[in-house]
Amino acid sequence: MNVKQGSTTFLKVIIFLIGIAMLALCIFWLPKIAFKDAKVHPDTAYFLIPFLVCVYGFCIAFSIALCQTFKLLTYIEKNNAFSELSLKSLKVIKKCAFTVILLILLGIVSLMVLSKVTGDDVAGPVSLSLMGILGTSIIATFVSVLQKPIKNFLENNEMKM
């Protein structure tokens, strides 16, 4: 096993572990938290629905991006980094990043509406959400930067043929 294959294998294992953690979060932790909060605050339990839709949408988009990243690493292992398949994976990852940003923004709006009803302070969750938007924006920018050389390479190869 060469160095490139070892590093891509390591990244694949990390992506797989993140996917397992995301699955556990969606199946075990989120429903428990939502049920507990609905028991404690029955008057505002219906406000949890839009927030949970945003969270589960976030989890789905993030999982799709993880799968595409896994595929991209497989293409890199097979020396197909500059191919249409890798470009397609990068496009899907970028769309997932924009979807995540949109869902985080909808989650912030949902929290703001909930805070108006309950009177809670949402500065902490909103600031964490804004940090998530910043991180996701950085990923989307990085993917856009990666797309340009691949597009140029594919266009140059088409011209030569």
Side-chain angles (χ1 to χ4, degrees):
M1 185 186 307
N2 59 18
V3 175
K4 182 172 76 169
Q5 191 175 12
S7 60
T8 54
T9 303
F10 174 73
L11 289 173
K12 282 181 168 182
V13 168
I14 296 299
I15 288 170
F16 183 75
L17 292 174
I18 291 171
I20 295 288
M22 181 68 66
L23 185 65
L25 173 82
C26 290
I27 292 175
F28 300 113
W29 192 63
L30 281 175
K32 237 185 239 184
I33 296 294
F35 185 71
K36 239 187 234 184
D37 191 56
K39 268 184 153 178
V40 173
H41 303 89
D43 300 340
T44 59
Y46 58 92
F47 279 115
L48 282 176
I49 294 170
F51 183 71
L52 286 174
V53 167
C54 291
V55 170
Y56 277 109
F58 169 85
C59 290
I60 291 168
F62 188 76
S63 298
I64 292 170
L66 282 178
C67 288
Q68 291 300 317
T69 305
F70 195 87
K71 283 183 182 180
L72 186 62
L73 287 171
T74 303
Y75 301 146
I76 291 170
E77 274 184 347
K78 295 179 180 177
N79 291 326
N80 287 335
F82 290 96
S83 66
E84 285 289 332
L85 294 172
S86 62
L87 189 62
K88 183 180 173 188
S89 290
L90 288 171
K91 285 179 184 178
V92 171
I93 292 169
K94 190 164 76 170
K95 286 179 184 178
C96 287
F98 288 129
T99 303
V100 165
I101 290 170
L102 176 72
L103 289 169
I104 291 174
L105 286 173
L106 289 174
I108 289 173
V109 169
S110 171
L111 280 174
M112 298 299 267
V113 169
L114 182 63
S115 73
K116 293 292 182 188
V117 173
T118 61
D120 291 338
D121 184 26
V122 293
V126 169
S127 64
L128 286 174
S129 299
L130 292 175
M131 284 185 244
I133 289 174
L134 176 66
T136 308
S137 300
I138 290 169
I139 290 170
T141 304
F142 184 69
V143 167
S144 292
V145 168
L146 284 177
Q147 278 182 321
K148 288 180 184 179
I150 293 174
K151 281 182 185 176
N152 290 339
F153 179 80
L154 292 174
E155 288 173 1
N156 288 338
N157 279 348
E158 286 178 5
M159 287 181 175
K160 290 179 183 177
M161 291 180 173

